[in-house]
Amino acid sequence: MTNVGPATEKKLRDAMERLLAGKAKRTDGRLTKANLHTEAGISRATMNRATAVIADWNAAVDSQTAPRDSKLVGLEETVTKLRQTITKLRDHNADLERRNKAAVTVIAELSAQLRSARGENPTGTVTPLRKGRSPGRQRSR
């Protein structure tokens, strides 16, 4: 037997329907008794006196996964898939960087061999060091 008035019971049942449908107006949508009384706009004590509604609530919550929880599970699965994709892409990127570095080395070697075969000896601006002086030091006067 319910010890609350019909208007209060209607508020609780309407709030219960909104929460179970995942369309909460005043709460975050979790299927808790705290959200039930907040969603209904009544006090916790008043809700506790509505024993028939509480029994229906307990039966509904025990048999149903929360819409918010099912969304959360779906999002966690998406995050897991995206993390796996990120890992694969990072590995692929590292492989491409290794191949690029190897290609640059081969191209530089082939270029040097081609210049050598053509008789083009690379000339640079090499300055010979004089004996007695170490590089990078100035003589103090």
Side-chain angles (χ1 to χ4, degrees), residues 3-135:
N3 296 328
V4 294
T8 302
E9 184 173 348
K10 180 168 176 20
K11 286 180 184 178
L12 280 167
R13 292 206 181 271
D14 289 345
M16 184 167 61
E17 286 178 24
R18 285 193 305 271
L19 286 171
L20 292 173
K23 298 180 180 181
K25 293 180 180 176
R26 299 178 182 176
T27 63
D28 60 4
R30 289 181 297 143
L31 298 180
T32 63
K33 289 181 183 175
N35 280 350
L36 178 60
H37 80 81
T38 302
E39 190 71 27
I42 62 171
S43 71
R44 177 78 182 225
T46 302
M47 178 192 70
N48 288 335
R49 286 194 303 270
T51 54
V53 176
I54 294 299
D56 291 344
W57 171 260
N58 289 336
V61 169
D62 289 342
S63 67
Q64 177 179 348
T65 60
R68 184 169 186 263
D69 293 342
S70 62
K71 288 180 186 176
L72 184 64
V73 169
L75 290 174
E76 287 174 347
E77 290 172 357
T78 302
V79 167
T80 302
K81 289 177 185 176
L82 290 174
R83 285 186 176 151
Q84 291 171 349
T85 302
I86 288 170
T87 301
K88 288 178 185 176
L89 289 173
R90 284 185 177 155
D91 291 344
H92 185 67
N93 188 33
D95 182 50
L96 290 176
E97 287 177 353
R98 282 190 294 273
R99 288 180 182 194
N100 188 31
K101 190 173 184 179
V104 166
T105 303
V106 169
I107 290 169
E109 179 63 27
L110 290 173
S111 178
Q113 288 177 4
L114 182 61
R115 277 184 276 151
S116 176
R118 288 181 180 167
E120 301 172 2
N121 292 327
T123 58
T125 55
V126 178
T127 307
L129 297 175
R130 287 186 249 154
K131 287 187 177 185
R133 292 182 77 185
S134 60

